[in-house]
Amino acid sequence: GVNVFYATFALYKSLPYVKARWDSFQLKRQQKRAIGKTHSIWDARILVACLAHLFICVPSNIALAVLRWTKEDERVGITFASSLFFATGKIGFYTAVYFYSPTLVEMTLKDGGDALNRSKLKSLVNKVRAVNLALMFTSFLVGFLPFITYADGGELNGTAEIVYLTYFVGMVVTIIFNASQSLVSKLKIERLLDRSYAVSKDERLRIMKAKIATMQNSAISNGYVQTLIYMLFIVVPFLYNKHDYFLPISWITYLILGKKMYMATVKDDPSKSASKGKYNMKSGKGAGTTKASNDNDNDNSDFEMTHNPQLTTTRVMSQTKAQSKESNDSWI
């Protein structure tokens, strides 16, 4: 029941923020078309992450919780509906993680301007993205393991026990690997920033180092907590014998992390031009402000984390209309 109520609440509170990011994407698409370039939704990776979580993970979470709440015989690996929503929920969450996590690192590092070694930055971000891609497909595979039990008749036999144990061991390994790559990425990024700072003495690099540490520490600590939860279901006989894949506390974590991701909404600076400008980026309430240049082909850095999506949407719509009028005037 808690999952249903929290998921509904998170969905209601988050929709305006996702709408604001969608409006920004449409604005950027118009800007690119005006200069003869294309801009697809795949260029807006954080938007893709938000949509995957909002339209795949959250509905699956609600559906699975409602099934478990209203029907006692619904079990993952035993019945088809529960097994399906269990798998799609993981697909939505880990797809969001793949598109969001490396992009956030990339956006934060871009604040360093020319003070950073661009080739090393690109190589590091590509490695983070490759690791997250592997984690995403591994999580997909693990999420579909309960279908083996379902295909075997949904009986709690030896096959079901092997699948159950394989699932939890697979999740533990995946989570530990994810936390480890976050730790390694953090250490490599900090070394890169320290070397750059030793040469440039640019204070923005110290700000970035603190931001990266906060982001990666969050992923690491979440990994420790999740690992502990899954390990308990492997080593504690009472929990192991329950033979239940669905852990409400773990899935609430999916919702909490998704809600934080939605808060990254778009707020355009009216002083910027269509081709190049400055944007403010805040990491949560009361955070410091840094500027990122907008001279690339994606709109992942064009936002300010704000708690006023209505103002955001209005401003984006106003700018869209103004640009549309300017574009029409150019044809007269």
Side-chain angles (χ1 to χ4, degrees):
V2 175
N3 282 56
V4 175
F5 288 119
Y6 186 82
T8 304
F9 170 76
L11 184 64
Y12 171 75
K13 295 291 290 184
S14 303
L15 280 175
Y17 295 93
V18 179
K19 175 62 165 57
R21 179 167 289 284
W22 175 262
D23 289 340
S24 177
F25 163 69
Q26 294 291 355
L27 172 62
K28 191 62 174 284
R29 173 178 280 182
Q30 288 189 15
Q31 292 174 343
K32 291 296 182 180
R33 285 177 176 175
I35 58 176
K37 292 185 177 181
T38 59
H39 186 66
S40 73
I41 194 170
W42 302 110
D43 295 316
R45 290 186 290 271
I46 288 185
L47 174 61
V48 175
C50 290
L51 295 178
H53 191 277
L54 183 64
F55 293 110
I56 302 178
C57 181
V58 174
S60 298
N61 194 307
I62 294 175
L64 182 55
V66 169
L67 282 174
R68 294 294 303 272
W69 194 13
T70 58
K71 294 184 178 182
E72 293 184 359
D73 59 340
E74 281 290 340
R75 295 279 296 274
V76 178
I78 307 300
T79 57
F80 178 79
S82 291
S83 302
L84 178 63
F85 290 131
F86 180 79
T88 55
K90 286 190 173 293
I91 288 175
F93 178 75
Y94 285 102
T95 298
V97 170
Y98 166 69
F99 282 101
Y100 181 74
S101 182
T103 305
L104 194 61
V105 172
E106 180 181 19
M107 283 161 35
T108 305
L109 290 176
K110 280 185 177 180
D111 286 351
D114 295 332
L116 285 174
N117 186 311
R118 289 301 178 186
S119 61
K120 290 184 178 180
L121 169 59
K122 184 176 180 180
S123 174
L124 182 58
V125 171
N126 287 339
K127 288 178 181 178
V128 172
R129 186 164 284 119
V131 170
N132 276 270
L133 181 63
L135 289 172
M136 181 180 71
F137 282 112
T138 301
S139 301
F140 289 179
L141 179 62
V142 172
F144 277 98
L145 283 177
F147 274 103
I148 297 177
T149 302
Y150 174 76
D152 193 44
E155 300 292 333
L156 298 180
N157 51 27
T159 300
E161 185 174 354
I162 293 174
V163 172
Y164 184 74
L165 183 61
T166 302
Y167 167 78
F168 277 96
V169 171
M171 285 304 302
V172 168
V173 171
T174 301
I175 293 170
I176 291 177
F177 188 69
N178 185 35
S180 299
Q181 75 90 18
S182 295
L183 177 61
V184 172
S185 297
K186 173 191 170 185
L187 296 176
K188 287 185 177 180
I189 291 172
E190 286 181 344
R191 283 199 297 267
L192 174 62
L193 294 175
D194 286 340
R195 291 172 184 173
S196 298
Y197 180 78
V199 176
S200 67
K201 302 300 180 183
D202 191 333
E203 289 299 321
R204 290 178 300 173
L205 299 176
R206 286 189 172 183
I207 296 174
M208 273 186 290
K209 182 178 179 179
K211 284 186 177 183
I212 289 293
T214 299
M215 287 187 294
Q216 301 297 65
N217 285 340
S218 177
I220 295 168
S221 60
N222 178 63
Y224 289 151
V225 173
Q226 293 275 30
T227 298
L228 176 61
I229 294 172
Y230 282 103
M231 284 296 295
L232 289 175
F233 274 77
I234 297 176
V235 301
V236 178
F238 172 74
L239 295 176
Y240 182 84
N241 291 331
K242 287 175 68 67
H243 198 92
D244 198 343
Y245 291 91
F246 181 61
L247 311 180
I249 189 173
S250 178
W251 282 58
I252 286 179
T253 302
Y254 290 176
L255 299 173
I256 293 173
L257 294 177
K259 187 171 180 290
K260 289 182 179 180
M261 179 177 64
Y262 297 148
M263 296 306 175
T265 58
V266 182
K267 185 174 181 181
D268 294 286
D269 187 336
S271 65
K272 80 178 186 64
S273 65
S275 60
K276 185 175 182 180
K278 298 293 180 182
Y279 292 84
N280 293 328
M281 182 172 72
K282 293 183 180 179
S283 181
K285 186 177 180 180
T289 300
T290 58
K291 293 183 177 180
S293 62
N294 175 37
D295 54 1
N296 49 39
D297 287 336
N298 64 67
D299 60 354
N300 296 303
S301 60
D302 306 349
F303 74 94
E304 176 180 4
M305 289 187 181
T306 178
H307 296 279
N308 191 352
Q310 289 80 13
L311 173 62
T312 297
T313 303
T314 301
R315 181 169 291 178
V316 171
M317 292 177 64
S318 299
Q319 187 168 352
T320 302
K321 291 178 180 179
Q323 185 187 8
S324 178
K325 181 178 182 300
E326 180 182 8
S327 177
N328 291 335
D329 290 343
S330 67
W331 286 96
I332 298 177

